[in-house]
Amino acid sequence: MNLYNIKYPEEQVNFAQAVRQGLGKDQGLFFPEKLPYFANVEELLALPLVERSQRILSAIIGDEIPAEKLAQMVANAFTFPAPVAKVEENIYALELFHGPTLAFKDFGGRFMAQALAAVRKDGKITILTATSGDTGAAVAHAFYGLENIDVVILYPKGKISVLQEKLFCTLGGNIRTIAIEGDFDACQALVKQAFDDQELREAIGLNSANSINISRLLAQICYYFEAVAQLPAEKRENLVVSVPSGNFGNLTAGLIAKAIGLPIKRFIASTNANDTVPRYLRSHQWDPYPTVATLSNAMDVSRPNNWPRVEELFRRQQWSLNELHSDSVTDAETEETLQAMYAKGYVCEPHGAIAYRVLKNDLSEGETGVFLCTAHPAKFKESVERILDIEVPLPEALAKHNALPLLSTTMPADFAVLRNYLLSAVK
């Protein structure tokens, strides 16, 4: 598999290098030079999730990783289902919260851990990543206890849910968590500064587990096929998929699924008040506003890292950005939507509710809609219980971590402070 840096196409790497390196020159994102195309997609859709995913990822990655090895990596990573639930006539929820940390990031995080273990070289590896809520837990649990791999996770202090924080800030061991006094964009900026520091990169073997790492992105392609596979055959025509969008890795994976043959009519990028992309698609002016805190905190991103990949894929496929629909939803509208969904018998959380609302507003007659549910409602227990006036029981995975003390360090959004910490703590 050959990949190139979108900013500097002359910088080219194979899959192993892309996984180990994370980012290219000048923080450029790696993108596959070629993508396969599955002409007989119905044959793929008839397979179980793991076997289908093995074929998809083998076709994309090629023979760089032996087929048997890759098959085992997928089997080790995808140990939980991604069921589709009918919410109303012609609208379905793809539930991506049945993994160990109850969020869609489990798919990408666990596959990345498998990929890095397969392609790593001798020496220290330090995973440095920023999270707006769910990435931290998925990465922490995927890498917890792995030998010679340290994980450092930055998150905005006070801006993720208590249960999200408990899920990954109580592990200890090789997992270090830092509450940054700032928003998610400040955390992300610190990660970028670290990757720009060659001396630091080399000293601690820096790598990233954000959706900028290609291994995470490729894994996410697979559950879009799983969604279509579970729909009745007559519902697969005129399919519209709504993706709750923050850093836009999830949408990128869906668009790649479409590019390699999955029959999706169009995608919708659904955002909260951090609406850089909806405004950009209307005005063609990239004008990020300061990030604002919302109920859907994992989407509180005003400078989405993966957007260059979206534009690159549209350019490569000769698609028009006019085909990508997008809209934003306020917190008040999110609350109304959660209540409306509950009245239909479906308990959701803010991110999924946003995707549902924008989908329902956008869907035309004769179309079938799928929206992504990216987290379990219990991860947002306080807000869901307040809005719906119900009690949300804690799944075991959350309950056991909720009883543990936080082990986080608090730090200002100052790269010099972070740099000193990394050099002293990660040895």
Side-chain angles (χ1 to χ4, degrees), residues 221-243:
I221 295 169
C222 300
Y223 52 65
Y224 286 93
F225 281 82
E226 178 68 0
V228 178
Q230 292 183 53
L231 291 177
E234 68 274 12
K235 298 289 189 180
R236 295 176 185 173
E237 297 291 328
N238 295 319
L239 183 60
V240 179
V241 178
S242 178
V243 184

Side-chain angles (χ1 to χ4, degrees), residues 290-415:
T291 305
V292 297
T294 72
L295 285 170
S296 47
N297 63 271
M299 294 156 59
D300 290 350
V301 183
S302 60
R303 298 176 183 273
N305 262 353
N306 271 290
W307 183 252
R309 281 180 171 143
V310 173
E311 293 203 297
E312 180 70 1
L313 187 59
F314 270 78
R315 182 191 67 78
R316 284 256 302 267
Q317 296 294 123
Q318 297 184 314
W319 296 337
S320 168
L321 275 175
N322 293 330
E323 299 169 22
L324 177 61
H325 292 203
S326 188
D327 205 356
S328 61
V329 176
T330 66
D331 273 358
E333 291 168 336
T334 301
E335 294 196 18
E336 291 171 6
T337 306
L338 282 167
Q339 292 164 351
M341 296 174 82
Y342 181 58
K344 294 177 184 294
Y346 192 79
V347 178
C348 198
E349 52 73 48
H351 307 76
I354 287 172
Y356 167 82
R357 185 182 182 103
V358 179
L359 173 67
K360 191 169 175 63
N361 290 343
D362 194 277
L363 214 56
S364 298
E365 188 175 349
E367 293 179 334
T368 297
V370 171
F371 66 98
L372 273 55
C373 286
T374 51
H376 193 289
K379 294 190 83 170
F380 301 90
K381 181 178 172 69
E382 292 181 2
S383 57
V384 171
E385 288 184 340
R386 174 184 60 78
I387 295 164
L388 300 183
D389 194 24
I390 61 171
E391 184 174 342
V392 180
L394 284 183
E396 184 183 352
L398 278 175
K400 67 180 183 182
H401 287 283
N402 192 39
L404 298 173
L406 291 174
L407 302 174
S408 294
T409 299
T410 298
M411 191 176 294
D414 183 327
F415 179 64

Side-chain angles (χ1 to χ4, degrees), residues 22-173:
L23 284 165
K25 176 184 174 183
D26 195 21
Q27 302 168 10
L29 300 174
F30 290 122
F31 201 78
E33 185 178 54
K34 294 180 181 178
L35 290 169
Y37 185 80
F38 295 97
N40 189 1
V41 75
E42 291 300 322
E43 180 183 324
L44 265 185
L45 295 176
L47 299 173
L49 170 63
V50 171
E51 186 180 346
R52 183 192 317 114
S53 301
Q54 289 165 341
R55 291 200 190 183
I56 292 168
L57 293 174
S58 181
I60 295 173
I61 296 171
D63 59 6
E64 186 177 336
I65 296 178
E68 286 186 6
K69 175 66 175 174
L70 183 59
Q72 190 59 54
M73 290 162 55
V74 175
N76 290 344
F78 297 174
T79 57
F80 45 90
V84 166
K86 185 176 182 179
V87 176
E88 61 183 89
E89 195 62 36
N90 286 347
I91 295 184
Y92 297 81
L94 173 62
E95 295 184 346
L96 299 173
F97 51 73
H98 294 274
T101 71
L102 310 176
F104 79 104
K105 302 290 179 77
D106 283 323
F107 283 92
R110 287 167 65 85
F111 183 73
M112 181 189 171
Q114 293 290 319
L116 191 56
V119 304
R120 65 171 299 173
K121 294 179 176 178
D122 292 337
K124 189 71 180 175
I125 293 177
T126 301
I127 303 291
L128 175 65
T129 192
T131 183
S132 56
D134 291 326
T135 293
V139 168
H141 284 258
F143 285 92
Y144 180 59
L146 292 188
E147 194 173 342
N148 289 325
I149 298 180
D150 275 299
V151 178
V152 180
I153 301 170
L154 313 183
Y155 65 98
K157 183 178 181 180
K159 293 182 172 64
I160 68 174
S161 80
V162 172
L163 287 168
Q164 280 179 315
E165 187 176 26
K166 284 278 190 172
L167 198 49
F168 70 96
C169 297
T170 54
L171 292 172

